[in-house]
Amino acid sequence: MSHGRARPVPALATLAESLVAYARKCGADEVEVSVSDGHEFNVDVRRGRIERLVEAGSRVCGLRIIKDKRTAFASSSDLDPSTLRRLVRNAVRRAGLGNPDPFAGLAPLSKKAVDPAALGLYDPDVVSLDSKSKIAMALECERLALRDKRITNSHGAGMVTHVARSVLAQSNGFVGEYEQTYCGLGVGLQAGGTDDRVEDSWSSSKRLLRDLESPGTVARKAVERTVRQLRPRKVRTQNVPVIFEPAETAWLMGFLFSCVSGTAVYQKSTFLAGQRGHRIGSGLVTVVDDGRLPRGLGTRPFDSDGVPSRTTTVVEGGVLKSFLCNVYSARKLRLRSTGNADGAGVGPNNFYLLPGASSPGDIVRSTRKGLILTRTLGHGLNPVTGDISRGAFGLWVEDGEVAYPVSGITISGHLGRVLEGIEMVGDDLEFLGAVAGPTVKVAEMTVAGL
């Protein structure tokens, strides 16, 4: 994929394998070389004008050199072979200066492999979509949203595409290569006057262009999300059921991921360390990490350690079954890698709460009094204790119906108790990103207001 660049891309796998061989010749015990070649397009428009336009190619080579259990890393965006050989020589020399780590080392070579072609990661339609069409999609999305008279301002709309080819070669004999595409379209809006302004947004992100929501759909959802908050009220501080919309369940799952990451477990920076095999949620809670989900935003044939992707059940019927590990954290914990290496750390593949049998409408109708959580602000998540405290916006429910919007509130609780308190799980699982979940109803959380 040269994308019109002057210099042709060398065969990435050949380049990576030659650097592995060269590093071994220079005295490295173990070597890992990753090479990626990508092309990114990003346009932001506001009020019908282009505010920012980025179109760029990027090539990066990353090295991990291990010598006497001492590790050195290096990277370069210049793929000239003589530059890269100098990078290798310097990295091998630097590896001798570090402290030895008995847990350092490549993954053992796996006999299994995942076929990249079966994962639906690459779409030629994303590659062939021209810049003019992408700009037009962003402009159209904003234009359609601003047609609604209740919308008073726009934060702008944006269209992103990304195309990349990645290669990983290791001295244990592993060589893997795959191509992937990504496209995203979104818009942010304001409604109301100076004293009662509300804002929200909507975006769609997919691997394949045909799966991306149309400019009209993105605009409609952004408008609906924004105007439903108009004329919010305050509520008194109370403990009530809280209904998480899918986007809010996603951050809850993201918080859970940070608590089951092997790195957090061996560093003892999570309240779930030592809880494997114990019940941490209600029987309705089953959470999986799936690196092979077709067309998933977190899907890949292998992780950055070269471990083939797999499906790991993290929580099953409320019981914590597995931590998620790269090779390093797995060795520290005397476990096996789950294929979750992400650069130098541990990251999610497609990490999500399995859907249940209830429709979102049924969940609202089952609630005599409570809050539908629509948006949260701030960090307020502590993996060490499991505590949650976030600024929030939502819709107040009375007698099974939405009564009015609320703002100026804080929701607080504890991740363990929130998971235990999940009493209904929606059938509306939606992958807005790699971390996802359906609508869920939590029996009780503290909603702090007046």
Side-chain angles (χ1 to χ4, degrees), residues 381-395:
L381 302 173
N382 186 335
V384 180
T385 60
D387 289 333
I388 295 169
S389 179
R390 303 193 81 183
F393 300 84
L395 304 170

Side-chain angles (χ1 to χ4, degrees), residues 202 221 225 243-250 352-364 372 424-432 436-441:
W202 186 253
K221 289 185 177 180
R225 289 181 64 81
I243 298 167
F244 284 67
E245 290 192 329
E248 301 307 304
T249 305
Y352 61 101
L353 175 68
L354 260 57
S358 306
S359 74
D362 287 343
I363 293 175
V364 173
I372 302 172
M424 293 179 86
V425 177
D427 58 8
D428 57 338
L429 172 64
E430 193 172 355
F431 282 93
L432 304 170
T439 299
V440 297
K441 179 180 176 182

Side-chain angles (χ1 to χ4, degrees), residues 330-399:
R331 284 185 183 137
K332 295 276 268 191
L333 295 168
R334 297 186 180 163
L335 298 170
R336 286 178 57 212
S337 167
T338 53
N340 284 89
D342 183 12
V346 174
N349 292 309
N350 298 289
F351 183 83
Y352 61 101
L353 175 68
L354 260 57
S358 306
S359 74
D362 287 343
I363 293 175
V364 173
R365 282 187 287 275
S366 76
T367 307
R368 197 181 62 77
K369 182 172 77 163
L371 176 76
I372 302 172
L373 190 63
T374 60
R375 198 156 64 92
T376 46
L377 294 174
H379 300 292
L381 302 173
N382 186 335
V384 180
T385 60
D387 289 333
I388 295 169
S389 179
R390 303 193 81 183
F393 300 84
L395 304 170
W396 197 252
V397 177
E398 299 273 4
D399 298 322

Side-chain angles (χ1 to χ4, degrees), residues 64 66 69 71 73 99-107 262-263 266-267 303 305 307 325-338 341 343-346:
R64 178 162 61 127
I66 301 166
K69 291 291 183 184
T71 305
F73 296 93
N99 292 320
D101 183 341
F103 301 101
L106 300 180
T263 306
Y266 81 70
Q267 290 176 345
D303 72 359
D305 283 335
V307 173
C325 298
N326 59 3
V327 167
Y328 185 83
S329 62
R331 284 185 183 137
K332 295 276 268 191
L333 295 168
R334 297 186 180 163
L335 298 170
R336 286 178 57 212
S337 167
T338 53
V346 174

Side-chain angles (χ1 to χ4, degrees), residues 157-170:
M159 176 77 187
V160 181
T161 61
H162 189 242
V163 183
R165 180 192 291 272
S166 307
V167 171
L168 183 68
Q170 298 175 326

Side-chain angles (χ1 to χ4, degrees), residues 256 259-262 265 272-283 285-289 311-325 333-338 340 351 419:
L256 174 61
C259 297
V260 298
S261 140
V265 175
L272 291 176
Q275 293 300 302
R276 206 160 58 107
H278 291 77
R279 177 170 291 284
I280 64 159
S282 89
V285 176
T286 294
V287 178
V288 298
D289 180 84
T311 304
T312 306
T313 301
V314 180
V315 182
E316 186 172 28
V319 177
L320 180 59
K321 292 286 191 182
S322 181
F323 296 126
L324 294 173
C325 298
L333 295 168
R334 297 186 180 163
L335 298 170
R336 286 178 57 212
S337 167
T338 53
N340 284 89
F351 183 83
L419 295 174

Side-chain angles (χ1 to χ4, degrees), residues 17-295:
E17 288 179 271
S18 71
L19 290 173
V20 168
Y22 184 68
R24 292 281 287 133
K25 210 168 98 181
C26 292
D29 298 332
E30 294 184 280
V31 189
E32 179 178 87
V33 178
S34 63
V35 189
S36 69
D37 179 54
H39 186 261
E40 176 197 359
F41 175 93
N42 194 335
V43 66
D44 291 330
V45 303
R46 185 165 179 275
R47 289 289 183 180
R49 300 168 71 99
I50 295 173
E51 286 204 327
R52 191 174 74 107
L53 178 62
V54 176
E55 197 160 358
S58 65
R59 294 195 246 159
V60 179
C61 176
L63 305 173
R64 178 162 61 127
I65 304 286
I66 301 166
K67 184 176 166 66
D68 301 326
K69 291 291 183 184
R70 305 165 197 262
T71 305
F73 296 93
S75 68
S76 170
S77 56
D78 180 355
L79 299 197
D80 177 68
S82 61
T83 304
L84 293 176
R85 282 198 293 274
R86 188 166 66 246
L87 196 72
V88 167
R89 291 194 298 274
N90 288 339
V92 172
R93 197 161 51 243
R94 274 192 300 111
L97 304 175
N99 292 320
D101 183 341
F103 301 101
L106 300 180
L109 187 62
S110 172
K111 291 183 175 64
K112 294 177 184 161
V114 177
D115 175 16
L119 300 176
L121 301 182
Y122 180 78
D123 181 10
D125 290 345
V126 173
V127 182
S128 62
L129 189 67
D130 61 41
S131 303
K132 217 164 159 181
S133 302
K134 295 183 236 192
I135 293 166
M137 286 172 75
L139 289 167
E140 175 77 347
C141 187
E142 187 191 46
R143 186 185 70 77
L144 291 171
L146 288 173
R147 271 199 333 199
D148 191 298
K149 293 292 171 269
R150 296 167 297 177
I151 299 300
T152 51
N153 202 357
S154 162
H155 288 300
M159 176 77 187
V160 181
T161 61
H162 189 242
V163 183
R165 180 192 291 272
S166 307
V167 171
L168 183 68
Q170 298 175 326
S171 54
N172 61 10
F174 177 86
V175 183
E177 180 171 10
Y178 66 100
E179 285 186 293
Q180 57 183 322
T181 52
Y182 166 88
C183 50
L185 177 67
V187 64
L189 304 170
Q190 286 184 345
T194 312
D195 299 330
D196 59 349
R197 187 169 291 134
V198 296
E199 57 186 49
D200 213 323
S201 61
W202 186 253
S203 61
S204 174
S205 306
K206 298 292 175 188
R207 292 282 192 183
L208 311 187
L209 187 62
R210 67 173 176 268
D211 292 340
L212 192 71
E213 289 178 357
S214 69
T217 301
V218 172
R220 177 178 56 75
K221 289 185 177 180
V223 169
E224 286 169 0
R225 289 181 64 81
T226 304
V227 300
R228 68 181 177 172
Q229 298 177 76
L230 282 167
R231 291 173 294 281
R233 302 188 200 172
K234 304 278 190 213
V235 290
R236 297 199 172 281
T237 298
Q238 54 197 293
N239 291 346
V240 289
V242 174
I243 298 167
F244 284 67
E245 290 192 329
E248 301 307 304
T249 305
W251 71 250
L252 192 70
M253 289 298 106
F255 184 33
L256 174 61
F257 173 82
S258 69
C259 297
V260 298
S261 140
T263 306
V265 175
Y266 81 70
Q267 290 176 345
K268 299 205 167 24
S269 59
T270 163
F271 79 106
L272 291 176
Q275 293 300 302
R276 206 160 58 107
H278 291 77
R279 177 170 291 284
I280 64 159
S282 89
L284 296 174
V285 176
T286 294
V287 178
V288 298
D289 180 84
D290 186 355
R292 297 183 298 197
L293 185 74
R295 306 200 302 276

